[in-house]
Amino acid sequence: MNMVKTGMLLAAMTALFMGIGFMLGGEAGMLLALLLAGGMNLFAYWNSDKMVLRMYGAREVDEAAAPEFVRIVRQLAANADLPMPRTFIIETDQPNAFATGRNPENAAVAATTGLIRMLEPEELAGVMAHELAHIKNRDTLIMTVTATIAGAISMLANFALFFGGSRNNPLGIVGVILMMILAPLAAALVQMAISRTREYSADAGGAEICGRPQWLASALKKIEQGASRIDNEPAESNPATAHMFIINPLHAHKRDSLFSTHPATANRVAKLMEMAGLGTSAPKRPWG
C-alpha cells in the first residue's frame, strides 16, 4: 500500500510540473516540461548519490578512518542481507543522517560528526539500521527523485514571471502570479507526504535490522533535541533535500501536521516502544 501511495504522489509531482509547463507555454510548454522531467529523473537515477553527498561536503571513510562507525554499518548490512554501502561523514555539529543511491548495490549512508559524538554505539546502530531500511525498501531513489523535481518546480515558478507573457500562456499574468505562489507550496506538500509515508516504514524496518526498537527510539529523541537548536547550513540552503534526513534538519515546527517533512518524533518513538514491548524484533545475528 505504501508503494502504491508513493507512486501516486510521484505521479502528482510530475503532473504538477507538466501543469506549470502548460500554464507557461500551452501544449508545447507541457510537452517540454514532460521531456524535462524525464531527463531530470534519468539524471537523478544515475547521479543522485553524488549530487547529495557533494552538496553536503560528505567525506568517505573506511575502517581505518572511522572504525566503530564503519563496523556498525557493516554488521547491520549483514543483518539486513544487504551489500555493504559506502560510508560517509559530514562535518557539522547537527546530529543527523541520511541514505542515498539508486539501488542497494550503489548505496551510501552518511552520518554527521555531531551524530557520532552525541549517540551511544547502540543508538548509532539504531539510526544506521533505519537508513539501511530505506536502502532495502528502495526509498533512497524515490526520495532523491522527489527532491530533484521539487527543486525544479520551485526554480520554474521563480522564472515564471519572465516567461509568463508568452501568447501561449492560457491564464495571463494573474495565472502566472498564482502559479508562482501555489506551485512551490503544492510541490512541498507532495514531497512531505512522500517522506512521511516512508519514515514509519523505515523505523519499523530499522528496528528489525538491529533487533532493538528502543535504540532507535532513544536516538530519535536526542537527534530531535540537537537538530532543533543547531543549524545545518547546507540543508537550510537546499530545503528540497530536508526530507532525506532521519529528522528534519530545518528549524521548523516539529508536529505531525500537513506542513511537517517528517512525522512527529513522539509518534515515531511511541510506535517503536510499542514494538519493543511486544517483542516483535530480534536480531538475526548476535550484536557486538
Side-chain angles (χ1 to χ4, degrees):
M1 184 54 127
N2 274 347
M3 289 304 296
V4 172
K5 183 178 179 182
T6 300
M8 292 173 63
L9 290 169
L10 280 172
M13 184 80 83
T14 303
L16 177 61
F17 193 74
M18 292 173 62
I20 295 173
F22 177 76
M23 285 188 280
L24 290 178
E27 293 183 2
M30 183 173 65
L31 179 59
L32 182 61
L34 177 61
L35 293 175
L36 185 58
M40 286 190 306
N41 286 342
L42 186 62
F43 180 81
Y45 178 83
W46 289 105
N47 298 282
S48 59
D49 53 342
K50 304 179 193 70
M51 291 166 55
V52 177
L53 292 166
R54 190 179 302 117
M55 186 182 299
Y56 285 94
R59 169 174 56 91
E60 188 166 7
V61 295
D62 55 20
E63 287 178 287
E68 184 172 50
F69 174 53
V70 175
R71 179 187 66 82
I72 286 172
V73 175
R74 188 178 302 281
Q75 184 163 355
L76 291 169
N79 281 3
D81 295 321
L82 287 171
M84 175 65 181
R86 296 167 68 194
T87 50
F88 289 80
I89 289 178
I90 300 170
E91 295 288 339
T92 178
D93 290 332
Q94 186 187 86
N96 231 317
F98 65 80
T100 186
R102 63 183 181 273
N103 54 39
E105 291 71 35
N106 295 275
V109 293
T112 67
T113 50
L115 183 84
I116 294 172
R117 283 197 303 267
M118 179 178 290
L119 301 187
E120 298 296 329
E122 294 80 8
E123 294 168 332
L124 181 59
V127 171
M128 302 321 297
H130 170 100
E131 299 307 332
L132 289 174
H134 275 310
I135 293 171
K136 192 164 189 173
N137 296 339
R138 297 180 182 266
D139 295 337
T140 50
L141 175 62
I142 292 169
M143 287 162 39
T144 304
V145 167
T146 301
T148 302
I149 299 178
I153 287 173
S154 296
M155 179 187 68
L156 195 58
N158 288 335
F159 281 106
L161 196 58
F162 296 100
F163 300 102
S166 168
R167 63 184 179 182
N168 293 323
N169 176 6
L171 297 181
I173 191 65
V174 175
V176 169
I177 293 173
L178 286 174
M179 182 187 66
M180 291 176 63
I181 298 170
L182 298 177
L185 177 60
L189 292 178
V190 175
Q191 183 184 13
M192 292 168 189
I194 290 174
S195 174
R196 287 153 58 91
T197 297
R198 307 313 304 162
E199 287 305 312
Y200 282 125
S201 178
D203 284 347
E208 293 176 2
I209 290 170
C210 73
R212 297 290 186 270
Q214 60 270 33
W215 292 353
L216 178 55
S218 177
L220 287 175
K221 289 187 283 188
K222 287 186 178 181
I223 298 171
E224 182 182 46
Q225 291 173 0
S228 67
R229 55 185 174 80
I230 302 172
D231 289 339
N232 184 330
E233 292 299 337
E236 298 287 349
S237 301
N238 301 278
T241 63
H243 66 290
M244 298 181 66
F245 286 85
I246 189 168
I247 289 287
N248 184 3
L250 310 177
H251 294 301
H253 297 294
K254 306 298 191 298
R255 61 175 182 266
D256 210 357
S257 68
L258 186 63
F259 295 96
S260 174
T261 57
H262 294 67
T265 302
N267 292 351
R268 296 170 68 182
V269 168
K271 287 182 178 292
L272 287 164
M273 295 311 295
E274 182 181 355
M275 289 181 66
L278 294 174
T280 53
S281 291
K284 293 181 181 180
R285 297 175 176 85
W287 181 262

